[in-house]
Amino acid sequence: MGGRRSSLDRMSLLRQPLLLLARSSRVKGLVSSMPVSAGIVRSYVPGEATEDAVRATAQLVDDHLRVSLDYLGEDTLDADQAEATVQAYLDALATLSAHKLTRSAEVSVKLSAVGQAIPHHGQKLALENARTICRAARNAGTTVTLDMEDHTTTDATLATLRELRKDFPETGAVLQAYLHRTEGDCRALAYEGSRVRLCKGAYDEPAEVAFQSRLEVDKSYVRCLKVLLAGQGYPMIATHDPRMIKIASSLASRNGRDPGSYEFQMLYGIRPDEQRRLAAAGETVRVYVPYGSEWYGYLMRRLAERPQNLTFFVRSLVSKK
Ligand SMILES: Cc1cc2nc3c(=O)[nH]c(=O)nc-3n(C[C@H](O)[C@H](O)[C@H](O)COP(=O)(O)OP(=O)(O)OC[C@H]3O[C@@H](n4cnc5c(N)ncnc54)[C@H](O)[C@@H]3O)c2cc1C
């Protein structure tokens, strides 16, 4: 389809540069000097401390929502930093437990934050670190979901998932509909008890491995939804897209699924009214709540999804309020 570019297309031209900036350490240094309280950051991240995250969790749970807490950080090449991340998760789990929130709140973990990218032994270290978090989550009465990162890590992350599930079958997986391979991965993971979060995917991926247009990604998302909702597992439908939510709801009822046999997931601060509307309609809805000081990469991915927010971002950067 040729012709004039829609404003949506023009906006999506900004996606790739923003995702490149997400990996720039120079820009990261500048932007990270903004306090987390700065307008745009605060709209996506409730704070830096465990207490901020647990306070946000309690409020969401009061509103009949569930939560997955994400301690921000990724791509560490430092084993001590990976260990500090593990400790942060143990602290979060203990605090959730002390506040009796673990029936409603789990944690999401990026393997690259617990050492996966460290040369030579990173894969083994990340598995051991993830195992420590899974054990603490189990003891606290809750679960872990392994976030999915860029496509170079997909096989390694799925291999770690398989290892973890031997002892912790409740561990959640994430699959990204923009990857060509994902419909097949959905088939492989649609077995009984298997918790699978389906998202569109947030990284800048090449055409060899990923669909490039919105339409193709959406079509793939629907194909994956069909597989997961017809399967035996527990689908976690992570999207803010009204069309995908509608299609998921009708596929769920067509497959005779009750609301408790799957859940919707959205990010903290995005479409909060829709989160509450779905919960009030009897759906299970989980909000992904990121916290901590390493919010840069996360924020840039959110801006890449919605470059309209760039103006607010630049304004808060300049005023540094
Ligand atoms: C719970 C959860 C966990 C996730 N985990 C991962 C993961 O592990 N790995 C990964 O690669 N990706 C992950 N993602 C991100 C995901 O891949 C998408 O990048 C993101 O959800 C945007 O896609 P969308 O399905 O909402 O659809 P889009 O087509 O991007 O958006 C649909 C609509 O949602 C609203 N919206 C979307 N983004 C924003 C925004 N930033 N600000 C304001 N409104 C917005 C707009 O109304 C937009 O029209 C996760 C997403 C969620 C919800």
Side-chain angles (χ1 to χ4, degrees), residues 14 43 57 73 94 99 101 121 141 151 188 200 213 219 229 258 263 269 284 291:
L14 287 167
S43 62
T57 301
H99 287 79
L101 287 166
H121 69 299
H151 80 278
K200 289 190 187 177
S213 76
K219 281 174 157 173
L229 285 162
D258 298 326
E263 68 185 41
T284 302
Y291 72 102

Side-chain angles (χ1 to χ4, degrees), residues 10-46:
R10 279 198 302 275
M11 280 299 181
S12 66
L13 286 178
L14 287 167
R15 184 169 180 269
Q16 197 177 18
L18 283 167
L19 289 174
L20 276 175
L21 281 185
R23 296 229 143 131
S24 153
S25 50
R26 265 187 68 201
V27 182
K28 178 181 175 189
L30 171 70
V31 174
S32 300
S33 64
M34 269 164 60
V36 72
S37 57
I40 189 76
V41 186
R42 198 46 176 266
S43 62
Y44 291 122
V45 179

Side-chain angles (χ1 to χ4, degrees), residues 44 148 176 197 200-202 214 239-240 302 305-306:
Y44 291 122
M148 189 59 86
Q176 299 153 316
R197 175 195 300 160
K200 289 190 187 177
R214 244 168 208 275
T239 182
H240 313 93
R302 301 294 77 80
E305 281 149 18
R306 201 163 169 80

Side-chain angles (χ1 to χ4, degrees), residues 12 15 48 55 57 88 91 127 135 139 155 198 203 206 218 222-223 229 234 239 244 250 265 274 277 299 307 312:
S12 66
R15 184 169 180 269
E48 297 199 357
R55 196 177 312 114
T57 301
D91 183 42
L127 172 61
R135 196 173 302 116
N139 291 339
D155 282 326
L198 179 68
Y203 297 81
D218 287 357
V222 173
R223 289 195 298 274
L229 285 162
Y234 181 81
T239 182
M244 297 303 123
S250 70
Q265 298 192 339
E274 177 66 0
R277 187 194 70 77
L299 177 72
F312 300 113

Side-chain angles (χ1 to χ4, degrees), residues 32-296:
S32 300
S33 64
M34 269 164 60
V36 72
S37 57
I40 189 76
V41 186
R42 198 46 176 266
S43 62
Y44 291 122
V45 179
E48 297 199 357
T50 307
E51 289 66 35
D52 300 323
V54 172
R55 196 177 312 114
T57 301
Q59 279 165 6
L60 292 162
V61 170
D62 273 352
D63 287 346
H64 310 288
L65 298 163
R66 299 191 190 183
V67 166
S68 192
L69 277 189
D70 166 45
Y71 180 68
L72 289 163
E74 54 201 278
D75 293 338
T76 188
L77 295 175
D78 176 355
D80 290 342
Q81 177 60 40
E83 174 57 27
T85 297
V86 174
Q87 289 307 319
Y89 275 106
L90 301 188
D91 183 42
L93 286 162
T95 314
L96 286 173
S97 183
H99 287 79
K100 302 202 173 358
L101 287 166
T102 47
R103 278 193 57 200
S104 306
E106 62 145 28
V107 294
S108 285
V109 175
K110 281 187 177 48
L111 288 178
S112 81
V114 293
Q116 189 184 48
I118 296 175
H120 310 304
H121 69 299
Q123 184 67 14
K124 191 163 169 274
L125 178 68
L127 172 61
E128 285 320 308
N129 282 338
R131 214 191 280 282
T132 303
I133 300 170
C134 286
R135 196 173 302 116
R138 163 87 62 84
N139 291 339
T142 189
T143 50
V144 174
T145 294
L146 292 187
D147 281 350
M148 189 59 86
E149 303 179 64
D150 73 72
H151 80 278
T152 62
T153 64
T154 309
D155 282 326
T157 299
L158 292 178
T160 301
L161 176 84
R162 279 192 295 276
E163 278 306 306
L164 288 171
R165 280 188 172 179
K166 289 179 186 164
D167 294 323
F168 306 99
E170 65 275 25
T171 307
V174 178
L175 297 175
Q176 299 153 316
Y178 64 14
L179 294 184
H180 299 151
R181 60 179 284 169
T182 294
E183 196 182 337
D185 287 334
C186 286
R187 282 212 182 81
L189 286 179
Y191 55 85
E192 191 163 355
S194 172
R195 299 168 64 242
V196 180
R197 175 195 300 160
L198 179 68
C199 62
K200 289 190 187 177
Y203 297 81
D204 182 28
E205 300 289 19
E208 297 81 68
V209 298
F211 299 111
Q212 301 293 307
S213 76
R214 244 168 208 275
L215 181 65
E216 283 179 310
V217 175
D218 287 357
K219 281 174 157 173
S220 169
Y221 197 97
V222 173
R223 289 195 298 274
C224 293
L225 276 177
K226 284 183 177 161
V227 174
L228 292 176
L229 285 162
Q232 303 299 308
Y234 181 81
M236 304 188 282
I237 302 152
T239 182
H240 313 93
D241 186 334
R243 278 184 58 227
M244 297 303 123
I245 292 169
K246 215 165 157 196
I247 293 169
S249 297
S250 70
L251 284 170
S253 55
R254 206 183 303 163
N255 283 288
R257 280 182 175 265
D258 298 326
S261 67
Y262 62 94
E263 68 185 41
F264 287 103
Q265 298 192 339
M266 295 190 206
L267 302 177
Y268 179 83
I270 303 185
R271 304 199 71 205
D273 293 345
E274 177 66 0
Q275 296 170 11
R276 284 157 184 79
R277 187 194 70 77
L278 285 168
E283 298 287 2
T284 302
V285 182
R286 191 178 299 274
V287 181
Y288 183 101
V289 178
Y291 72 102
S293 56
E294 289 289 318
W295 42 261
Y296 175 76

